[in-house]
Amino acid sequence: HALGWACWKTYLGRPHTDGVRGAAMGILGDSLRGSRPEEALPVLEANLALNKRYWSNNEQEILIAQSAIASCLDVLGRCNDALVLKREVYARLVATLGVSHEHTITIGNNVASSLGQLELYDEARLFVRDQLLPVAQQSPGPNHELTLTLLEILAQTLRTNPEHTRDDLCVNQSRPARRRQVSQHRRRSARSRGHHAGRGSEATASLRSHAPKHGSRSGYAVKGAEGPCPPVAAPVLTMEIAR
């Protein structure tokens, strides 16, 4: 987090309306989140407030800031609060990009994972099976990593739900070839998690905004980290928003 502080101190003297200063605040919060989440949270919340005050018309930046806060809440063990934010981000993406957009499906993955973590098994099963999987299998396709991750979340939800029925389990037993694909995907995910174990769980993709805001706002990446919330079976993916 030393680089995060250095970045923040470099641009601290600029006006609050300066986009680079706002991006530096986001970078600081992101750098603190893994090791000092209790300090990161007020920084990330201030960054969200800044975006809402000065760039309220830039919803993508607001969604990025909300996603960063949700990740920090996960690290702090405030999984219910994190889920509330993830639902909000997903709902806005459905409204702006549509249910079949890859970014929407990606954040839907995050919501489904959180539902499973909180043992909301019935909601997780219905959300994945009836809402996410049908659109994911059409676009981006049945063999895409997002679709395979959804299948894995569904399988894990059914496996860990003490009230699952035989009919529920049969849903995942009807396609042996698909089960093999999910098994291969799980092994790749496990290797990826092992590769990143030394620096926390960074199985997330970057969530980045590309175009400068107000002519000066730089994009910044949001990465995940493990916290007290129960682990999920599959890597939780974030998205990259293109302006």
Side-chain angles (χ1 to χ4, degrees):
H1 48 75
L3 290 177
W5 279 112
C7 180
W8 172 240
K9 290 177 181 178
T10 299
Y11 301 106
L12 175 60
R14 294 194 179 192
H16 287 190
T17 55
D18 185 273
V20 176
R21 181 186 185 276
M25 180 184 293
I27 292 172
L28 173 61
D30 184 52
S31 68
L32 292 171
R33 190 174 67 246
S35 58
R36 300 162 74 174
E38 67 286 345
E39 296 180 21
L41 184 59
V43 175
L44 294 171
E45 289 175 337
N47 183 52
L48 175 60
L50 192 73
N51 276 282
K52 288 183 174 180
R53 180 174 182 180
Y54 295 114
W55 299 286
S56 59
N57 62 331
N58 194 323
E59 189 167 25
Q60 292 172 348
E61 285 286 351
I62 292 174
L63 294 179
I64 290 172
Q66 287 179 315
S67 296
I69 293 174
S71 178
C72 187
L73 291 171
D74 272 334
V75 178
L76 289 168
R78 295 171 55 182
C79 304
N80 283 290
D81 294 332
L83 177 58
V84 170
L85 278 177
K86 292 175 186 179
R87 289 186 195 270
E88 289 182 10
V89 173
Y90 177 76
R92 288 308 305 156
L93 289 175
V94 169
T96 57
L97 300 180
V99 294
S100 61
H101 196 283
E102 187 170 323
H103 298 335
T104 307
I105 298 171
T106 301
I107 298 303
N109 250 319
N110 289 351
V111 174
S113 295
S114 289
L115 291 171
Q117 289 170 352
L118 293 169
E119 300 183 358
L120 300 173
Y121 298 121
D122 289 339
E123 186 177 357
R125 173 175 57 85
L126 294 175
F127 182 54
V128 173
R129 189 191 66 188
D130 298 345
Q131 295 187 46
L132 295 178
L133 265 179
V135 294
Q137 287 172 338
Q138 293 183 18
S139 174
N143 298 319
H144 193 277
E145 183 179 9
L146 286 176
T147 307
L148 297 177
T149 300
L150 283 170
L151 287 168
E152 185 175 355
I153 293 172
L154 178 59
Q156 182 73 356
T157 299
L158 294 173
R159 185 184 70 81
T160 54
N161 184 2
E163 298 180 358
H164 65 249
T165 66
R166 189 178 187 86
D167 290 340
D168 289 335
L169 296 178
C170 287
V171 171
N172 283 340
Q173 294 175 351
S174 59
R175 297 184 179 180
R178 182 57 48 78
R179 293 203 310 276
R180 287 195 296 271
Q181 289 176 322
V182 173
S183 178
Q184 293 170 357
H185 172 63
R186 182 180 294 121
R187 288 195 295 270
R188 289 195 301 268
S189 298
R191 287 196 297 269
S192 175
R193 288 194 294 271
H195 175 72
H196 293 291
R199 43 196 181 101
S201 174
E202 294 187 1
T204 60
S206 65
L207 189 159
R208 182 177 294 110
S209 147
H210 296 293
K213 174 188 295 182
H214 229 51
S216 61
R217 181 71 185 252
S218 300
Y220 57 89
V222 175
K223 296 185 183 240
E226 284 187 356
C229 293
V232 294
V236 181
L237 306 176
T238 53
M239 63 180 175
E240 184 171 332
I241 300 179
R243 292 177 189 268

